[in-house]
Amino acid sequence: MTEPERSPTALVIVGGSVAAIKSPGLLRRLREAGYVTDVIATRAALAFVTPLSLATAAGRVVATDETWFGARPDAQHLSLARAGVNVIVAASADLLARAAHGFAGDLASATLLSVTGPVLWVPAMNAAMWRHPAVQANVQMLKSWGHTFLGPEVGAFGTLGEGSGLGRMAEPEEIVAAVLGLVSPPLPTGDLTGLKVVVSAGPTREYLDPVRFISNPSSGKMGFAVAEAARDRGADVVLVSGPVNLPDPPGMRTVRIGTALELRSEVLDAAQDADIVVMTAAVADYRAADQAVEKQAKVAGDVQIHLTPNPDILAELGQHKGERVLIGFAMETHAGVERAASKATRKNADFILLNYPTQAGTAFGGDDNQVTLVRPGGESDAWPRMSKREVGERILDEALRIRAERAGVSPGLT
Ligand code: CTP
């Protein structure tokens, strides 16, 4: 099933510095950039900016220590922590210290202990405070956890008369640019720029009843590696993945599916305008002929399961191949090259990567693979054992070579 497209979410935490007055402007700009925003104001922040101006800019009620300790039945710090990106503005020395030392006695600190998305700190404080070893040690601690810092900058600091110097908070436009950079780094360009690559990955699950299914141990690592390699070479990538233990890679569209029928519908849809399709998915060949709606209780003695074949997605793609380069995988335990060549012919694939599940170090779930490239005519090339990422790169090299060959030019001139 396809997840409906959702707006990206941003949590803005406002700290207790005079620069807090810039936070409504930031919230407005984030919303203009398409973000759904939530806002937490610390107790100190509310001395500089009113809840009403924050709420008006955020389009949401402001979360504060009062709303946290109030009569709410939910754990507000956990729901707020689910934002796609977290920005702490007017970040004071006190807030940095609490976050760096795992304090959880106020809503902002407790939420920061629970966030999963990237964290951007935008500090604002007096230059002497910022330079103090205690503050710098806290900053280093947070950086070591992957948090990012923007500023403080050199310039007139606030309106409190401290004069000029380090300490001014970055402007809202710069903060929005930093947020966008954190969430979607600039698209790379390379030899696949302008091409669309569709990759299927992982296993499928064929349910017998609501709680039991037939599947296989595919980790999805091979497909994710191909997709990431294609992304880094500039391709527009769609990754269609069965249930695997890997997060959505940034910089591509990832579609999660369960069954072979769902995989088929998503891949065929994405492949319509694709240039290269790589089917690494370990598709279950069969599904239950009659999937039980209710959980099946055990019975005495043997049971029989009636299975019906799933459609062959690669073969279907092969029937309407057009200009696409079509690549499959095959796992064989015997007569590998011969069987893979006949699969490539039957499914009209340009080539198939053959691997052996029994081979040491290249079995399901590993980081390496040792594959043999097999063409429909039976011509084969055994590649040495290498990382799945390197296998991915070589698959894409070969796909580009085939495209260039078809176009009648050498790969360097395409
Ligand atoms: N494949 C597919 N749809 C299926 C089964 C497989 O698209 N229903 C794809 C796989 O993603 C892989 C290739 O076809 O790229 C080879 O899969 P494999 O299961 O080895 O092929 P089968 O034709 O099912 O052969 P076998 O009889 O050996 O299982």
Side-chain angles (χ1 to χ4, degrees):
M1 260 176 294
T2 328
E3 281 263 291
E5 287 263 328
R6 280 199 227 114
S7 300
T9 52
L11 171 66
V12 175
I13 298 177
V14 187
S17 151
V18 65
I21 53 170
K22 290 183 187 173
S23 51
L26 169 66
L27 285 161
R28 268 192 293 276
R29 282 191 165 75
L30 283 171
R31 288 177 69 197
E32 281 162 16
Y35 281 88
V36 172
T37 52
D38 264 310
V39 59
I40 296 178
T42 63
R43 230 178 262 275
L46 294 175
F48 297 99
V49 62
T50 67
L52 186 59
S53 61
L54 287 173
T56 310
R60 294 269 178 102
V61 173
V62 183
T64 63
D65 289 350
E66 276 64 43
T67 68
W68 191 36
F69 287 124
R72 293 177 64 104
D74 58 332
Q76 201 181 9
H77 60 292
L78 297 181
S79 52
L80 288 167
R82 288 193 210 112
V85 62
N86 309 280
V87 192
I88 304 105
V89 291
S92 60
D94 181 64
L95 197 46
L96 284 168
R98 278 182 279 152
H101 295 279
F103 281 40
D106 62 281
L107 178 60
S109 309
T111 305
L112 282 170
L113 279 184
S114 324
V115 294
T116 50
V119 180
L120 175 68
W121 288 88
V122 194
M125 71 188 75
N126 166 277
M129 285 173 84
W130 173 252
R131 290 197 186 107
H132 193 282
V135 174
Q136 286 305 308
N138 291 334
V139 170
Q140 288 316 316
M141 176 94 80
L142 293 162
K143 282 187 176 170
S144 75
W145 300 336
H147 293 199
T148 305
F149 279 76
L150 178 64
E153 297 172 355
V154 176
F157 176 64
T159 53
L160 297 180
E162 284 94 331
S164 277
L166 190 78
R168 191 176 68 86
M169 189 174 92
E171 292 301 320
E173 310 87 277
E174 301 167 71
I175 302 174
V176 173
V179 167
L180 294 175
L182 268 192
V183 185
S184 48
L187 288 178
T189 53
D191 55 1
L192 291 173
T193 300
L195 298 184
K196 179 172 175 184
V197 177
V198 176
V199 184
S200 71
T204 64
R205 282 182 182 173
E206 311 303 327
Y207 280 87
L208 305 175
D209 71 14
V211 293
R212 301 185 181 93
F213 54 80
I214 300 175
S215 191
N216 61 69
S218 169
S219 67
K221 284 183 182 176
M222 189 61 243
F224 276 57
V226 177
E228 284 168 3
R231 173 202 62 198
D232 293 345
R233 288 164 71 162
D236 169 17
V237 182
V238 179
L239 172 63
V240 187
S241 176
V244 294
N245 206 7
L246 298 170
D248 288 7
M252 66 182 75
R253 186 162 78 86
T254 304
V255 184
R256 303 278 177 170
I257 55 86
T259 66
L261 291 180
E262 288 166 3
L263 180 68
R264 172 182 177 274
S265 131
E266 293 296 343
V267 166
L268 293 189
D269 188 39
Q272 278 183 33
D273 55 349
D275 301 286
I276 300 169
V277 183
V278 189
M279 288 291 297
T280 77
V283 189
D285 286 325
Y286 299 94
R287 67 179 184 278
D290 308 295
Q291 191 191 314
V293 182
E294 285 165 1
K295 179 175 174 260
Q296 299 298 290
K298 67 173 166 297
V299 291
D302 296 350
V303 286
Q304 283 202 329
I305 302 170
H306 182 188
L307 299 175
T308 190
N310 271 326
D312 189 318
I313 304 162
L314 184 56
E316 251 181 278
L317 288 165
Q319 277 164 19
H320 310 279
K321 189 167 166 182
E323 291 301 304
R324 289 181 279 271
V325 177
L326 212 52
I327 301 156
F329 269 71
M331 205 167 244
E332 309 289 355
T333 52
H334 64 284
V337 171
E338 201 182 308
R339 291 175 59 86
S342 101
K343 260 177 211 180
T345 308
R346 182 160 43 86
K347 303 190 188 207
N348 199 18
D350 288 282
F351 59 93
I352 276 194
L353 287 313
L354 159 69
N355 57 12
Y356 296 91
T358 42
Q359 202 153 300
T362 65
F364 277 127
D367 291 325
D368 286 355
N369 211 350
Q370 200 272 300
V371 300
T372 298
L373 184 149
V374 183
R375 296 181 205 280
E379 189 194 326
S380 70
D381 181 13
W383 294 352
R385 177 176 164 176
M386 58 184 97
S387 69
K388 286 184 173 171
R389 171 66 185 235
E390 283 171 290
V391 173
E393 300 283 0
R394 285 185 68 159
I395 289 172
L396 295 169
D397 290 346
E398 182 58 23
L400 279 180
R401 206 194 53 73
I402 290 172
R403 275 178 59 81
E405 200 176 75
R406 283 198 199 142
V409 289
S410 77
L413 299 175
T414 53

